[in-house]
Amino acid sequence: MNTETDLAFAPPPLPDEPFIKPVPRIQRTLREIAAEHLREAILRLELRPGDRLVERTLCEKLNVSRSIIREVLRELEGEGLVSKDNRGPIVRQPTREELEQIYELRALLEGTAAAHCASRASTTQIKELSKFLKNIEISYKKQNFVSVIEQTDSFYRQMFLAAQCDVAWELVQKLKGRISVYRAITIASADRQTTGLAEMHAILEAIKNKDAAAASLASSRHVQSAGRIALSRLGPSSPLANKKNP
């Protein structure tokens, strides 16, 4: 063995610090800020399903360039908040048939996840669910419906994580993306704060009791209730159904 040769070709010791450090993000880009503002305007129902999104108007309101507005519209289209017709981008408006299918599929997926969560959730995971539900109540009291949606998503993300249903969660996220506006409408409806919270408490109570059947039933009923509210907004007496595009 040639010790000198071996030492000559020995790899250098690894440094304590990594060779390439991530660049810290000091501030968000104009596109990110503009996307957040437009997203919140849609979720707060300042812009309603079917409303036309005119680039020039958005440029003036958000004080950004047309190229940024186009990037933002593409991003929100990917999130399911915006779609296009033959006249340009609009706030997305699903059909009745689409809503029915989506809520039916959500009820199946979320009911299954709730059942598995009741069987598999740890004490720590159940505490996290309780925390998110408390945050939902606080957001409702503040009438912050964007926060209600965010905290509700966190609750369900934790439920699917505890249930070990990763693929089902991905599917639910895609389905929710296609009806984001109607989720905002149902959450902001007059009686949803009372009935919706009661239904979510029933889900959590069943999970705490390790009652898979009750958890599945409570979760499915919660989705079905939201679906009925969303579909009612498409009825002939609904202001959304009668709303004319400019």
Side-chain angles (χ1 to χ4, degrees), residues 28-48:
R28 294 181 300 165
T29 64
L30 282 176
R31 182 194 59 76
E32 291 172 327
I33 296 170
E36 179 183 307
H37 286 190
L38 186 55
R39 183 185 298 110
E40 289 190 358
I42 293 172
L43 294 178
R44 287 193 179 116
L45 306 180
E46 295 166 11
L47 294 167
R48 296 272 179 154

mmCIF file of all heavy atoms in Angstrom, residues 28-48:
data_model
loop_
_atom_site.group_PDB
_atom_site.id
_atom_site.type_symbol
_atom_site.label_atom_id
_atom_site.label_comp_id
_atom_site.label_asym_id
_atom_site.label_seq_id
_atom_site.Cartn_x
_atom_site.Cartn_y
_atom_site.Cartn_z
ATOM 1 N N ARG A 28 -41.507 39.696 -1.229
ATOM 2 C CA ARG A 28 -42.233 39.022 -2.292
ATOM 3 C C ARG A 28 -42.221 39.858 -3.564
ATOM 4 O O ARG A 28 -42.052 41.071 -3.525
ATOM 5 C CB ARG A 28 -43.673 38.769 -1.848
ATOM 6 C CG ARG A 28 -43.781 37.799 -0.698
ATOM 7 C CD ARG A 28 -45.231 37.580 -0.332
ATOM 8 N NE ARG A 28 -45.864 38.831 0.070
ATOM 9 C CZ ARG A 28 -47.182 38.995 0.174
ATOM 10 N NH1 ARG A 28 -47.990 38.002 -0.116
ATOM 11 N NH2 ARG A 28 -47.683 40.144 0.564
ATOM 12 N N THR A 29 -42.438 39.184 -4.688
ATOM 13 C CA THR A 29 -42.466 39.885 -5.968
ATOM 14 C C THR A 29 -43.815 40.577 -6.154
ATOM 15 O O THR A 29 -44.806 40.251 -5.484
ATOM 16 C CB THR A 29 -42.242 38.905 -7.125
ATOM 17 O OG1 THR A 29 -43.337 37.973 -7.160
ATOM 18 C CG2 THR A 29 -40.936 38.144 -6.955
ATOM 19 N N LEU A 30 -43.857 41.518 -7.099
ATOM 20 C CA LEU A 30 -45.113 42.192 -7.428
ATOM 21 C C LEU A 30 -46.159 41.190 -7.903
ATOM 22 O O LEU A 30 -47.346 41.328 -7.596
ATOM 23 C CB LEU A 30 -44.867 43.247 -8.512
ATOM 24 C CG LEU A 30 -44.244 44.571 -8.063
ATOM 25 C CD1 LEU A 30 -43.986 45.451 -9.269
ATOM 26 C CD2 LEU A 30 -45.150 45.285 -7.068
ATOM 27 N N ARG A 31 -45.720 40.184 -8.659
ATOM 28 C CA ARG A 31 -46.664 39.179 -9.149
ATOM 29 C C ARG A 31 -47.310 38.431 -7.992
ATOM 30 O O ARG A 31 -48.522 38.196 -7.983
ATOM 31 C CB ARG A 31 -45.952 38.186 -10.080
ATOM 32 C CG ARG A 31 -46.896 37.131 -10.671
ATOM 33 C CD ARG A 31 -46.130 35.983 -11.293
ATOM 34 N NE ARG A 31 -45.276 35.313 -10.333
ATOM 35 C CZ ARG A 31 -45.727 34.461 -9.403
ATOM 36 N NH1 ARG A 31 -47.013 34.201 -9.291
ATOM 37 N NH2 ARG A 31 -44.886 33.893 -8.568
ATOM 38 N N GLU A 32 -46.512 38.048 -6.991
ATOM 39 C CA GLU A 32 -47.051 37.325 -5.840
ATOM 40 C C GLU A 32 -48.049 38.176 -5.063
ATOM 41 O O GLU A 32 -49.106 37.691 -4.642
ATOM 42 C CB GLU A 32 -45.908 36.880 -4.922
ATOM 43 C CG GLU A 32 -45.032 35.791 -5.509
ATOM 44 C CD GLU A 32 -43.802 35.514 -4.666
ATOM 45 O OE1 GLU A 32 -43.276 36.458 -4.043
ATOM 46 O OE2 GLU A 32 -43.361 34.351 -4.626
ATOM 47 N N ILE A 33 -47.721 39.456 -4.900
ATOM 48 C CA ILE A 33 -48.617 40.352 -4.159
ATOM 49 C C ILE A 33 -49.905 40.575 -4.946
ATOM 50 O O ILE A 33 -51.011 40.536 -4.390
ATOM 51 C CB ILE A 33 -47.914 41.694 -3.868
ATOM 52 C CG1 ILE A 33 -46.708 41.464 -2.948
ATOM 53 C CG2 ILE A 33 -48.887 42.681 -3.232
ATOM 54 C CD1 ILE A 33 -45.815 42.680 -2.784
ATOM 55 N N ALA A 34 -49.770 40.797 -6.258
ATOM 56 C CA ALA A 34 -50.952 41.015 -7.096
ATOM 57 C C ALA A 34 -51.842 39.775 -7.110
ATOM 58 O O ALA A 34 -53.075 39.875 -7.042
ATOM 59 C CB ALA A 34 -50.525 41.378 -8.516
ATOM 60 N N ALA A 35 -51.225 38.591 -7.180
ATOM 61 C CA ALA A 35 -51.995 37.345 -7.174
ATOM 62 C C ALA A 35 -52.752 37.186 -5.862
ATOM 63 O O ALA A 35 -53.919 36.776 -5.845
ATOM 64 C CB ALA A 35 -51.065 36.150 -7.402
ATOM 65 N N GLU A 36 -52.100 37.528 -4.756
ATOM 66 C CA GLU A 36 -52.754 37.428 -3.447
ATOM 67 C C GLU A 36 -53.959 38.363 -3.367
ATOM 68 O O GLU A 36 -55.033 37.980 -2.894
ATOM 69 C CB GLU A 36 -51.759 37.764 -2.341
ATOM 70 C CG GLU A 36 -52.355 37.718 -0.936
ATOM 71 C CD GLU A 36 -51.357 38.132 0.123
ATOM 72 O OE1 GLU A 36 -50.256 37.544 0.153
ATOM 73 O OE2 GLU A 36 -51.671 39.047 0.898
ATOM 74 N N HIS A 37 -53.800 39.600 -3.855
ATOM 75 C CA HIS A 37 -54.890 40.579 -3.787
ATOM 76 C C HIS A 37 -56.075 40.149 -4.647
ATOM 77 O O HIS A 37 -57.232 40.262 -4.219
ATOM 78 C CB HIS A 37 -54.384 41.953 -4.228
ATOM 79 C CG HIS A 37 -53.508 42.611 -3.210
ATOM 80 N ND1 HIS A 37 -53.102 43.929 -3.314
ATOM 81 C CD2 HIS A 37 -52.951 42.147 -2.063
ATOM 82 C CE1 HIS A 37 -52.339 44.240 -2.275
ATOM 83 N NE2 HIS A 37 -52.229 43.170 -1.512
ATOM 84 N N LEU A 38 -55.791 39.661 -5.856
ATOM 85 C CA LEU A 38 -56.885 39.247 -6.735
ATOM 86 C C LEU A 38 -57.549 37.978 -6.207
ATOM 87 O O LEU A 38 -58.775 37.842 -6.249
ATOM 88 C CB LEU A 38 -56.361 39.029 -8.153
ATOM 89 C CG LEU A 38 -57.425 38.733 -9.223
ATOM 90 C CD1 LEU A 38 -58.496 39.819 -9.245
ATOM 91 C CD2 LEU A 38 -56.773 38.602 -10.594
ATOM 92 N N ARG A 39 -56.741 37.058 -5.690
ATOM 93 C CA ARG A 39 -57.284 35.818 -5.106
ATOM 94 C C ARG A 39 -58.236 36.146 -3.953
ATOM 95 O O ARG A 39 -59.333 35.597 -3.850
ATOM 96 C CB ARG A 39 -56.139 34.932 -4.623
ATOM 97 C CG ARG A 39 -56.589 33.581 -4.072
ATOM 98 C CD ARG A 39 -55.419 32.805 -3.500
ATOM 99 N NE ARG A 39 -54.411 32.492 -4.500
ATOM 100 C CZ ARG A 39 -53.199 33.054 -4.538
ATOM 101 N NH1 ARG A 39 -52.844 33.972 -3.634
ATOM 102 N NH2 ARG A 39 -52.332 32.714 -5.471
ATOM 103 N N GLU A 40 -57.810 37.052 -3.081
ATOM 104 C CA GLU A 40 -58.641 37.407 -1.933
ATOM 105 C C GLU A 40 -59.906 38.142 -2.368
ATOM 106 O O GLU A 40 -60.966 37.970 -1.761
ATOM 107 C CB GLU A 40 -57.838 38.258 -0.945
ATOM 108 C CG GLU A 40 -56.764 37.459 -0.215
ATOM 109 C CD GLU A 40 -56.133 38.227 0.929
ATOM 110 O OE1 GLU A 40 -56.506 39.411 1.133
ATOM 111 O OE2 GLU A 40 -55.276 37.648 1.618
ATOM 112 N N ALA A 41 -59.811 38.950 -3.421
ATOM 113 C CA ALA A 41 -61.002 39.640 -3.928
ATOM 114 C C ALA A 41 -62.045 38.635 -4.414
ATOM 115 O O ALA A 41 -63.251 38.822 -4.223
ATOM 116 C CB ALA A 41 -60.617 40.591 -5.059
ATOM 117 N N ILE A 42 -61.567 37.541 -5.013
ATOM 118 C CA ILE A 42 -62.480 36.499 -5.487
ATOM 119 C C ILE A 42 -63.048 35.716 -4.310
ATOM 120 O O ILE A 42 -64.256 35.474 -4.222
ATOM 121 C CB ILE A 42 -61.755 35.562 -6.477
ATOM 122 C CG1 ILE A 42 -61.396 36.321 -7.762
ATOM 123 C CG2 ILE A 42 -62.627 34.346 -6.806
ATOM 124 C CD1 ILE A 42 -60.514 35.542 -8.718
ATOM 125 N N LEU A 43 -62.187 35.332 -3.374
ATOM 126 C CA LEU A 43 -62.642 34.526 -2.242
ATOM 127 C C LEU A 43 -63.498 35.327 -1.266
ATOM 128 O O LEU A 43 -64.303 34.759 -0.531
ATOM 129 C CB LEU A 43 -61.435 33.914 -1.515
ATOM 130 C CG LEU A 43 -60.636 32.888 -2.327
ATOM 131 C CD1 LEU A 43 -59.452 32.382 -1.524
ATOM 132 C CD2 LEU A 43 -61.520 31.721 -2.758
ATOM 133 N N ARG A 44 -63.326 36.640 -1.249
ATOM 134 C CA ARG A 44 -64.188 37.489 -0.414
ATOM 135 C C ARG A 44 -65.482 37.860 -1.135
ATOM 136 O O ARG A 44 -66.299 38.596 -0.606
ATOM 137 C CB ARG A 44 -63.441 38.774 -0.031
ATOM 138 C CG ARG A 44 -62.346 38.581 1.004
ATOM 139 C CD ARG A 44 -61.883 39.933 1.539
ATOM 140 N NE ARG A 44 -60.847 39.765 2.538
ATOM 141 C CZ ARG A 44 -59.599 40.185 2.419
ATOM 142 N NH1 ARG A 44 -59.226 40.816 1.328
ATOM 143 N NH2 ARG A 44 -58.721 39.989 3.381
ATOM 144 N N LEU A 45 -65.619 37.379 -2.377
ATOM 145 C CA LEU A 45 -66.817 37.598 -3.191
ATOM 146 C C LEU A 45 -66.973 39.048 -3.620
ATOM 147 O O LEU A 45 -68.068 39.492 -3.951
ATOM 148 C CB LEU A 45 -68.077 37.117 -2.452
ATOM 149 C CG LEU A 45 -68.024 35.669 -1.953
ATOM 150 C CD1 LEU A 45 -69.306 35.301 -1.242
ATOM 151 C CD2 LEU A 45 -67.755 34.717 -3.105
ATOM 152 N N GLU A 46 -65.866 39.802 -3.599
ATOM 153 C CA GLU A 46 -65.895 41.131 -4.204
ATOM 154 C C GLU A 46 -66.005 40.981 -5.721
ATOM 155 O O GLU A 46 -66.524 41.859 -6.408
ATOM 156 C CB GLU A 46 -64.627 41.898 -3.823
ATOM 157 C CG GLU A 46 -64.528 42.191 -2.322
ATOM 158 C CD GLU A 46 -63.137 42.642 -1.903
ATOM 159 O OE1 GLU A 46 -62.320 42.932 -2.795
ATOM 160 O OE2 GLU A 46 -62.867 42.689 -0.686
ATOM 161 N N LEU A 47 -65.480 39.877 -6.226
ATOM 162 C CA LEU A 47 -65.675 39.470 -7.618
ATOM 163 C C LEU A 47 -66.447 38.157 -7.584
ATOM 164 O O LEU A 47 -66.068 37.233 -6.864
ATOM 165 C CB LEU A 47 -64.329 39.286 -8.324
ATOM 166 C CG LEU A 47 -63.494 40.559 -8.513
ATOM 167 C CD1 LEU A 47 -62.076 40.206 -8.930
ATOM 168 C CD2 LEU A 47 -64.143 41.463 -9.557
ATOM 169 N N ARG A 48 -67.514 38.063 -8.350
ATOM 170 C CA ARG A 48 -68.423 36.920 -8.286
ATOM 171 C C ARG A 48 -68.249 35.996 -9.491
ATOM 172 O O ARG A 48 -67.721 36.408 -10.529
ATOM 173 C CB ARG A 48 -69.870 37.423 -8.242
ATOM 174 C CG ARG A 48 -70.204 38.230 -6.992
ATOM 175 C CD ARG A 48 -70.664 37.315 -5.899
ATOM 176 N NE ARG A 48 -70.987 38.016 -4.675
ATOM 177 C CZ ARG A 48 -71.844 37.556 -3.778
ATOM 178 N NH1 ARG A 48 -72.473 36.421 -3.986
ATOM 179 N NH2 ARG A 48 -72.063 38.219 -2.661
#
